[in-house]
Short mmCIF file of all heavy atoms in Angstrom, two decimals:
data_model
loop_
_atom_site.label_atom_id
_atom_site.label_comp_id
_atom_site.label_asym_id
_atom_site.label_seq_id
_atom_site.Cartn_x
_atom_site.Cartn_y
_atom_site.Cartn_z
N GLU A 650 -36.27 16.81 -49.76
CA GLU A 650 -34.92 16.25 -49.76
C GLU A 650 -33.91 17.17 -49.10
O GLU A 650 -32.99 16.73 -48.41
CB GLU A 650 -34.48 15.94 -51.19
CG GLU A 650 -35.27 14.83 -51.87
CD GLU A 650 -35.13 13.51 -51.16
OE1 GLU A 650 -34.01 13.18 -50.74
OE2 GLU A 650 -36.14 12.81 -51.00
N ALA A 651 -34.06 18.47 -49.29
CA ALA A 651 -33.10 19.41 -48.71
C ALA A 651 -33.16 19.43 -47.20
O ALA A 651 -32.17 19.79 -46.54
CB ALA A 651 -33.35 20.82 -49.26
N MET A 652 -34.30 19.03 -46.62
CA MET A 652 -34.48 19.08 -45.17
C MET A 652 -34.51 17.68 -44.55
O MET A 652 -34.64 17.55 -43.34
CB MET A 652 -35.77 19.81 -44.83
CG MET A 652 -35.79 21.26 -45.24
SD MET A 652 -34.42 22.19 -44.52
CE MET A 652 -34.71 21.88 -42.79
N SER A 653 -34.41 16.64 -45.36
CA SER A 653 -34.52 15.29 -44.84
C SER A 653 -33.38 15.00 -43.86
O SER A 653 -32.22 15.37 -44.08
CB SER A 653 -34.44 14.27 -45.98
OG SER A 653 -34.38 12.96 -45.49
N ARG A 654 -33.73 14.34 -42.77
CA ARG A 654 -32.72 13.99 -41.74
C ARG A 654 -31.75 12.93 -42.25
O ARG A 654 -30.69 12.70 -41.65
CB ARG A 654 -33.44 13.48 -40.48
CG ARG A 654 -34.35 14.54 -39.85
CD ARG A 654 -35.02 14.00 -38.59
NE ARG A 654 -35.92 14.99 -38.00
CZ ARG A 654 -37.22 15.08 -38.28
NH1 ARG A 654 -37.77 14.22 -39.12
NH2 ARG A 654 -37.98 16.00 -37.73
N ASP A 655 -32.12 12.24 -43.34
CA ASP A 655 -31.24 11.21 -43.89
C ASP A 655 -30.16 11.78 -44.81
O ASP A 655 -29.25 11.08 -45.20
CB ASP A 655 -32.06 10.17 -44.66
CG ASP A 655 -33.04 9.44 -43.76
OD1 ASP A 655 -32.72 9.24 -42.57
OD2 ASP A 655 -34.15 9.07 -44.25
N ASN A 656 -30.31 13.04 -45.19
CA ASN A 656 -29.35 13.69 -46.07
C ASN A 656 -28.46 14.64 -45.28
O ASN A 656 -28.73 14.97 -44.15
CB ASN A 656 -30.06 14.48 -47.18
CG ASN A 656 -30.90 13.58 -48.06
OD1 ASN A 656 -30.60 12.40 -48.21
ND2 ASN A 656 -31.95 14.12 -48.63
N ASP A 657 -27.37 15.05 -45.90
CA ASP A 657 -26.48 16.04 -45.27
C ASP A 657 -26.55 17.37 -46.02
O ASP A 657 -25.55 18.08 -46.15
CB ASP A 657 -25.03 15.50 -45.30
CG ASP A 657 -24.88 14.29 -44.40
OD1 ASP A 657 -25.49 14.26 -43.33
OD2 ASP A 657 -24.14 13.36 -44.79
N CYS A 658 -27.74 17.68 -46.51
CA CYS A 658 -27.88 18.90 -47.31
C CYS A 658 -27.77 20.15 -46.46
O CYS A 658 -27.27 21.17 -46.91
CB CYS A 658 -29.20 18.89 -48.05
SG CYS A 658 -29.29 17.65 -49.37
N ALA A 659 -28.29 20.12 -45.26
CA ALA A 659 -28.33 21.31 -44.40
C ALA A 659 -27.27 21.26 -43.33
O ALA A 659 -27.05 20.23 -42.70
CB ALA A 659 -29.71 21.44 -43.76
N ALA A 660 -26.56 22.39 -43.13
CA ALA A 660 -25.60 22.50 -42.05
C ALA A 660 -26.36 22.52 -40.72
O ALA A 660 -27.41 23.13 -40.60
CB ALA A 660 -24.76 23.76 -42.19
N THR A 661 -25.85 21.83 -39.72
CA THR A 661 -26.50 21.80 -38.41
C THR A 661 -26.26 23.10 -37.67
O THR A 661 -25.49 23.96 -38.10
CB THR A 661 -25.97 20.63 -37.58
OG1 THR A 661 -24.59 20.84 -37.27
CG2 THR A 661 -26.14 19.31 -38.33
N VAL A 662 -26.88 23.24 -36.52
CA VAL A 662 -26.72 24.43 -35.69
C VAL A 662 -25.27 24.61 -35.28
O VAL A 662 -24.78 25.73 -35.21
CB VAL A 662 -27.63 24.34 -34.44
CG1 VAL A 662 -27.35 25.52 -33.52
CG2 VAL A 662 -29.08 24.30 -34.84
N ALA A 663 -24.57 23.53 -35.02
CA ALA A 663 -23.20 23.61 -34.52
C ALA A 663 -22.17 23.84 -35.63
O ALA A 663 -21.00 24.10 -35.34
CB ALA A 663 -22.84 22.32 -33.77
N GLU A 664 -22.60 23.75 -36.90
CA GLU A 664 -21.66 23.87 -38.03
C GLU A 664 -21.72 25.28 -38.65
O GLU A 664 -22.79 25.86 -38.78
CB GLU A 664 -21.99 22.85 -39.10
CG GLU A 664 -21.83 21.40 -38.64
CD GLU A 664 -22.36 20.40 -39.66
OE1 GLU A 664 -23.19 20.81 -40.51
OE2 GLU A 664 -21.96 19.23 -39.61
N SER A 665 -20.55 25.79 -39.00
CA SER A 665 -20.49 27.08 -39.68
C SER A 665 -20.09 26.95 -41.14
O SER A 665 -20.11 27.91 -41.90
CB SER A 665 -19.50 28.01 -38.97
OG SER A 665 -18.21 27.44 -38.92
N GLU A 666 -19.75 25.70 -41.55
CA GLU A 666 -19.37 25.46 -42.94
C GLU A 666 -20.60 25.45 -43.83
O GLU A 666 -21.71 25.12 -43.40
CB GLU A 666 -18.63 24.12 -43.09
CG GLU A 666 -17.30 24.05 -42.34
CD GLU A 666 -17.49 23.78 -40.86
OE1 GLU A 666 -18.63 23.43 -40.46
OE2 GLU A 666 -16.51 23.92 -40.11
N ILE A 667 -20.40 25.82 -45.07
CA ILE A 667 -21.52 25.86 -46.03
C ILE A 667 -21.76 24.47 -46.61
O ILE A 667 -20.82 23.82 -47.09
CB ILE A 667 -21.21 26.88 -47.15
CG1 ILE A 667 -21.23 28.30 -46.57
CG2 ILE A 667 -22.21 26.74 -48.30
CD1 ILE A 667 -20.78 29.37 -47.55
N SER A 668 -23.00 24.00 -46.55
CA SER A 668 -23.38 22.71 -47.11
C SER A 668 -24.37 22.95 -48.26
O SER A 668 -25.24 23.80 -48.17
CB SER A 668 -24.04 21.81 -46.05
OG SER A 668 -23.11 21.51 -45.02
N THR A 669 -24.22 22.16 -49.32
CA THR A 669 -25.10 22.35 -50.49
C THR A 669 -25.59 21.00 -51.01
O THR A 669 -24.97 19.96 -50.78
CB THR A 669 -24.39 23.09 -51.63
OG1 THR A 669 -23.32 22.25 -52.13
CG2 THR A 669 -23.80 24.40 -51.15
N CYS A 670 -26.73 21.06 -51.71
CA CYS A 670 -27.24 19.94 -52.51
C CYS A 670 -27.85 20.50 -53.77
O CYS A 670 -28.24 21.67 -53.82
CB CYS A 670 -28.29 19.15 -51.71
SG CYS A 670 -27.60 17.99 -50.51
N GLU A 671 -27.94 19.67 -54.80
CA GLU A 671 -28.47 20.10 -56.09
C GLU A 671 -29.73 19.32 -56.43
O GLU A 671 -29.83 18.13 -56.19
CB GLU A 671 -27.41 19.91 -57.19
CG GLU A 671 -26.17 20.76 -56.99
CD GLU A 671 -25.16 20.58 -58.10
OE1 GLU A 671 -25.36 19.67 -58.95
OE2 GLU A 671 -24.16 21.33 -58.14
N PHE A 672 -30.68 20.04 -57.03
CA PHE A 672 -31.97 19.46 -57.42
C PHE A 672 -32.38 20.01 -58.77
O PHE A 672 -31.75 20.90 -59.33
CB PHE A 672 -33.05 19.79 -56.37
CG PHE A 672 -32.67 19.41 -54.97
CD1 PHE A 672 -32.08 20.33 -54.11
CD2 PHE A 672 -32.88 18.11 -54.49
CE1 PHE A 672 -31.73 19.98 -52.83
CE2 PHE A 672 -32.53 17.76 -53.21
CZ PHE A 672 -31.95 18.69 -52.36
N GLY A 673 -33.50 19.48 -59.31
CA GLY A 673 -33.98 19.95 -60.59
C GLY A 673 -33.15 19.43 -61.73
O GLY A 673 -32.66 18.29 -61.71
N ASP A 674 -32.91 20.27 -62.72
CA ASP A 674 -32.05 19.91 -63.87
C ASP A 674 -30.60 20.21 -63.50
O ASP A 674 -30.09 21.31 -63.71
CB ASP A 674 -32.47 20.72 -65.10
CG ASP A 674 -31.69 20.30 -66.34
OD1 ASP A 674 -30.77 19.47 -66.22
OD2 ASP A 674 -31.97 20.83 -67.42
N VAL A 675 -29.92 19.21 -62.91
CA VAL A 675 -28.58 19.43 -62.36
C VAL A 675 -27.53 19.65 -63.46
O VAL A 675 -26.40 20.03 -63.17
CB VAL A 675 -28.15 18.25 -61.46
CG1 VAL A 675 -29.06 18.15 -60.26
CG2 VAL A 675 -28.16 16.93 -62.24
N THR A 676 -27.91 19.44 -64.72
CA THR A 676 -26.97 19.67 -65.83
C THR A 676 -27.07 21.07 -66.38
O THR A 676 -26.26 21.49 -67.21
CB THR A 676 -27.23 18.66 -66.98
OG1 THR A 676 -28.54 18.89 -67.51
CG2 THR A 676 -27.14 17.21 -66.46
N SER A 677 -28.06 21.82 -65.91
CA SER A 677 -28.30 23.16 -66.44
C SER A 677 -27.25 24.17 -65.98
O SER A 677 -26.69 24.04 -64.87
CB SER A 677 -29.68 23.66 -66.02
OG SER A 677 -29.91 24.99 -66.43
N ASP A 678 -26.99 25.15 -66.82
CA ASP A 678 -26.08 26.25 -66.45
C ASP A 678 -26.82 27.36 -65.68
O ASP A 678 -26.19 28.23 -65.10
CB ASP A 678 -25.42 26.84 -67.69
CG ASP A 678 -24.48 25.85 -68.37
OD1 ASP A 678 -23.89 25.03 -67.62
OD2 ASP A 678 -24.34 25.90 -69.59
N SER A 679 -28.14 27.33 -65.74
CA SER A 679 -28.95 28.31 -65.00
C SER A 679 -29.14 27.81 -63.58
O SER A 679 -29.58 26.67 -63.36
CB SER A 679 -30.31 28.50 -65.67
OG SER A 679 -30.15 29.07 -66.96
N VAL A 680 -28.82 28.64 -62.60
CA VAL A 680 -28.80 28.23 -61.22
C VAL A 680 -29.69 29.13 -60.37
O VAL A 680 -29.61 30.37 -60.47
CB VAL A 680 -27.37 28.25 -60.64
CG1 VAL A 680 -27.38 27.89 -59.16
CG2 VAL A 680 -26.47 27.29 -61.41
N VAL A 681 -30.54 28.53 -59.55
CA VAL A 681 -31.32 29.25 -58.56
C VAL A 681 -30.91 28.70 -57.20
O VAL A 681 -30.92 27.48 -56.99
CB VAL A 681 -32.84 29.04 -58.79
CG1 VAL A 681 -33.64 29.66 -57.64
CG2 VAL A 681 -33.25 29.65 -60.12
N ALA A 682 -30.53 29.60 -56.30
CA ALA A 682 -30.05 29.19 -54.98
C ALA A 682 -31.08 29.43 -53.90
O ALA A 682 -31.64 30.53 -53.80
CB ALA A 682 -28.76 29.94 -54.64
N LEU A 683 -31.41 28.38 -53.12
CA LEU A 683 -32.23 28.51 -51.94
C LEU A 683 -31.28 28.75 -50.77
O LEU A 683 -30.50 27.84 -50.43
CB LEU A 683 -33.06 27.24 -51.69
CG LEU A 683 -34.18 26.90 -52.69
CD1 LEU A 683 -34.86 25.61 -52.25
CD2 LEU A 683 -35.17 28.01 -52.78
N VAL A 684 -31.33 29.91 -50.15
CA VAL A 684 -30.33 30.28 -49.14
C VAL A 684 -31.00 30.71 -47.85
O VAL A 684 -31.88 31.59 -47.87
CB VAL A 684 -29.42 31.42 -49.67
CG1 VAL A 684 -28.26 31.65 -48.70
CG2 VAL A 684 -28.89 31.11 -51.06
N GLY A 685 -30.58 30.13 -46.73
CA GLY A 685 -31.10 30.54 -45.43
C GLY A 685 -31.30 29.35 -44.51
O GLY A 685 -30.57 28.35 -44.57
N GLY A 686 -32.31 29.47 -43.65
CA GLY A 686 -32.59 28.42 -42.68
C GLY A 686 -33.63 27.42 -43.18
O GLY A 686 -33.97 27.37 -44.36
N SER A 687 -34.18 26.66 -42.23
CA SER A 687 -35.12 25.60 -42.60
C SER A 687 -36.41 26.14 -43.18
O SER A 687 -37.12 25.44 -43.92
CB SER A 687 -35.42 24.73 -41.37
OG SER A 687 -35.98 25.52 -40.32
N HIS A 688 -36.75 27.39 -42.85
CA HIS A 688 -38.00 27.96 -43.38
C HIS A 688 -37.91 28.26 -44.86
O HIS A 688 -38.97 28.43 -45.50
CB HIS A 688 -38.39 29.21 -42.59
CG HIS A 688 -39.12 28.89 -41.33
ND1 HIS A 688 -40.11 29.68 -40.80
CD2 HIS A 688 -39.01 27.83 -40.50
CE1 HIS A 688 -40.57 29.13 -39.71
NE2 HIS A 688 -39.89 28.01 -39.49
N ILE A 689 -36.71 28.36 -45.40
CA ILE A 689 -36.61 28.45 -46.86
C ILE A 689 -36.32 27.06 -47.45
O ILE A 689 -36.77 26.73 -48.54
CB ILE A 689 -35.51 29.48 -47.30
CG1 ILE A 689 -35.73 29.87 -48.78
CG2 ILE A 689 -34.13 28.96 -47.09
CD1 ILE A 689 -37.04 30.54 -49.04
N GLY A 690 -35.64 26.22 -46.67
CA GLY A 690 -35.35 24.87 -47.13
C GLY A 690 -36.60 24.05 -47.34
O GLY A 690 -36.65 23.14 -48.20
N GLN A 691 -37.67 24.34 -46.57
CA GLN A 691 -38.92 23.58 -46.69
C GLN A 691 -39.58 23.75 -48.07
O GLN A 691 -40.37 22.91 -48.48
CB GLN A 691 -39.89 24.00 -45.59
CG GLN A 691 -40.42 25.42 -45.77
CD GLN A 691 -41.33 25.86 -44.65
OE1 GLN A 691 -41.94 25.03 -43.97
NE2 GLN A 691 -41.43 27.16 -44.43
N TRP A 692 -39.26 24.85 -48.77
CA TRP A 692 -39.87 25.12 -50.07
C TRP A 692 -39.20 24.37 -51.22
O TRP A 692 -39.64 24.48 -52.37
CB TRP A 692 -39.84 26.62 -50.36
CG TRP A 692 -40.71 27.42 -49.47
CD1 TRP A 692 -40.34 28.15 -48.37
CD2 TRP A 692 -42.13 27.58 -49.58
NE1 TRP A 692 -41.42 28.75 -47.79
CE2 TRP A 692 -42.53 28.42 -48.50
CE3 TRP A 692 -43.10 27.13 -50.48
CZ2 TRP A 692 -43.87 28.79 -48.32
CZ3 TRP A 692 -44.42 27.49 -50.27
CH2 TRP A 692 -44.80 28.32 -49.21
N GLU A 693 -38.17 23.63 -50.93
CA GLU A 693 -37.41 22.94 -52.01
C GLU A 693 -38.26 22.05 -52.89
O GLU A 693 -38.08 22.07 -54.12
CB GLU A 693 -36.26 22.13 -51.36
CG GLU A 693 -35.51 21.22 -52.32
CD GLU A 693 -36.10 19.81 -52.35
OE1 GLU A 693 -36.32 19.25 -51.27
OE2 GLU A 693 -36.34 19.29 -53.45
N PRO A 694 -39.23 21.25 -52.36
CA PRO A 694 -40.02 20.42 -53.27
C PRO A 694 -40.76 21.22 -54.35
O PRO A 694 -40.83 20.78 -55.51
CB PRO A 694 -41.03 19.72 -52.32
CG PRO A 694 -40.33 19.71 -51.01
CD PRO A 694 -39.57 21.00 -50.95
N PHE A 695 -41.30 22.37 -53.97
CA PHE A 695 -42.01 23.20 -54.95
C PHE A 695 -41.03 23.74 -56.01
O PHE A 695 -41.30 23.65 -57.21
CB PHE A 695 -42.72 24.35 -54.26
CG PHE A 695 -43.19 25.42 -55.21
CD1 PHE A 695 -44.11 25.13 -56.23
CD2 PHE A 695 -42.68 26.71 -55.14
CE1 PHE A 695 -44.53 26.12 -57.12
CE2 PHE A 695 -43.08 27.68 -56.02
CZ PHE A 695 -44.02 27.40 -57.03
N PHE A 696 -39.92 24.29 -55.57
CA PHE A 696 -38.99 24.88 -56.52
C PHE A 696 -38.28 23.84 -57.36
O PHE A 696 -37.87 24.10 -58.48
CB PHE A 696 -38.01 25.80 -55.80
CG PHE A 696 -38.63 27.11 -55.37
CD1 PHE A 696 -38.91 27.37 -54.03
CD2 PHE A 696 -38.95 28.08 -56.30
CE1 PHE A 696 -39.50 28.54 -53.63
CE2 PHE A 696 -39.54 29.27 -55.92
CZ PHE A 696 -39.82 29.52 -54.60
#
Side-chain angles (χ1 to χ4, degrees):
E650 293 298 318
M652 296 304 302
S653 173
R654 298 180 182 92
D655 297 328
N656 298 332
D657 294 322
C658 291
T661 66
V662 174
E664 297 171 339
S665 58
E666 296 80 12
I667 292 173
S668 296
T669 66
C670 279
E671 296 181 352
F672 306 95
D674 184 356
V675 296
T676 63
S677 175
D678 293 329
S679 295
V680 176
V681 173
L683 293 180
V684 188
S687 59
H688 276 214
I689 198 62
Q691 69 183 335
W692 292 100
E693 172 268 312
F695 166 62
F696 286 107

